[in-house]
Amino acid sequence: MAFEAVATVDQLPPGERIVVEMGERYIAVFNVDGNLYAIEDVCTHDGGPLGEGELLDDEPQNPKVECERHGATFELTSGKPTFPAVVPVDRFPVKIEGDNILVDPENPL
Ligand code: FES
């Protein structure tokens, strides 16, 4: 495992997201009501930036992000997409250690 710090806890309060460059990947990290999710910042339909998408949290246990390009949604918990995307987005391990939020970009879930 290769966890790396991407932000401090203070930098990513509930309702916020950040996009970080980790090696050759861009990863979007979301804080939804205190739960952290890390996904590739690339829509599997046509490359839209998911970190800029609207967060859909009408189902609190199953938050989704909507790609702003053509409207596909992705479950943050599973990566599962809706049309027009058909391929799940990669998800990554994320955890808190001390004051830091860490992501492992080398071992997609
Ligand atoms: S690029 Fe995301 S829905 Fe088309």
Side-chain angles (χ1 to χ4, degrees):
M1 300 292 263
F3 279 95
E4 298 173 37
V6 296
T8 64
V9 172
D10 289 346
Q11 290 173 320
L12 191 63
E16 296 295 327
R17 83 281 300 270
I18 57 168
V19 176
V20 293
E21 184 176 2
M22 302 187 82
E24 295 181 356
R25 296 180 185 273
Y26 286 88
I27 295 177
V29 186
F30 295 80
N31 182 337
V32 184
D33 294 331
N35 297 311
L36 298 173
Y37 305 94
I39 63 170
E40 187 122 39
D41 183 38
V42 180
C43 179
T44 61
H45 174 236
D46 195 27
L50 295 180
E52 296 178 16
E54 182 178 355
L55 184 64
L56 308 175
D57 57 359
D58 45 311
E59 292 178 73
Q61 300 310 311
N62 189 22
K64 305 175 187 74
V65 64
E66 182 176 47
C67 179
E68 61 182 10
R69 289 195 63 196
H70 310 105
T73 65
F74 293 86
E75 294 181 358
L76 296 181
T77 54
S78 69
K80 187 177 160 192
T82 60
F83 185 81
V86 293
V87 176
V89 70
D90 276 345
R91 297 173 300 121
F92 301 93
V94 56
K95 66 180 180 180
I96 293 175
E97 245 177 41
D99 292 333
N100 292 314
I101 296 169
L102 295 89
V103 172
D104 178 354
E106 295 177 2
N107 293 287
L109 296 168

